[in-house]
Amino acid sequence: LVRCGVAVNRGQAAAGGHPFRRVLTGTIVAGCLLAGAGAPRAQTVDSTLWGVDPSGKVFAVAREGNGIYIGGNFSYVGPNSGGGVPIDVSTAHGVAGYPKVTGRVNAAVADGKGGWYIGGWFSAVDGRPHANLAHIASAGVDATWSAGTDNEVFALALAGSTLYVGGDFDSLGGAVR
């Protein structure tokens, strides 16, 4: 945060001041705000943070000593597993090492090679940008496959090598669909 200011004669400002001085002051303040913003920086998801259930909302946060208290409308607080993760049926825990999804997964279909296609309302998988549609190969997120949508995906079906995608979107992979 950068704080910038311009000294203005309070008497002139109260009386309306000189029009040029008001424009100049606004321009300098706007310039300071823009300069303080700096260049955009890449961000990655911190996978160690805890979260609440996907439909939950946090409305209040308070700190006392080493404790943080949250209040809101949620039924779960715990380690963030992401928006979709396979569950080991013998342990009832998420499969270790599965890439975390930043958002909600509505549909998943096996790719027939040990991986999955996933669709939903998400912006990233394993910290990499993916718009609502991603391929998680058996070795991890397939960075070469990029067919995002401009809105939510609700259904997936795979027939041979053709992936059918259904949802509330107007474009897929940059083309109108």
Side-chain angles (χ1 to χ4, degrees):
L1 179 63
V2 175
R3 181 180 170 159
C4 297
V6 176
V8 176
N9 181 314
R10 299 280 182 217
Q12 282 186 324
H18 191 277
F20 178 72
R21 181 171 287 148
R22 286 193 310 262
V23 171
L24 179 62
T25 302
T27 303
I28 291 172
V29 170
C32 289
L33 291 174
L34 290 173
R41 296 184 191 115
Q43 296 181 3
T44 58
V45 176
D46 183 350
S47 62
T48 64
L49 295 175
W50 279 30
V52 298
D53 54 278
S55 62
K57 303 243 187 268
V58 174
F59 299 118
V61 178
R63 178 179 175 196
E64 183 177 318
N66 289 331
I68 295 178
Y69 299 87
I70 61 173
N73 183 14
F74 50 86
S75 59
Y76 170 82
V77 176
N80 187 358
S81 63
V85 63
I87 303 296
D88 182 327
V89 293
S90 63
T91 65
H93 290 101
V95 173
Y98 196 78
K100 292 189 176 159
V101 178
T102 306
R104 176 175 60 238
V105 175
N106 296 328
V109 63
D111 68 1
K113 300 173 187 169
W116 297 89
Y117 290 100
I118 60 170
W121 184 246
F122 51 85
S123 59
V125 178
D126 203 22
R128 296 183 194 122
H130 287 276
N132 311 315
L133 195 58
H135 180 224
I136 302 172
S138 60
V141 178
D142 185 352
T144 64
W145 193 82
S146 177
T149 66
D150 65 342
N151 211 333
E152 195 162 4
V153 172
F154 294 111
L156 297 173
L158 187 63
S161 62
T162 303
L163 178 66
Y164 294 94
V165 182
D168 188 20
F169 54 87
D170 295 319
S171 70
L172 188 146
V176 175
R177 304 283 182 188

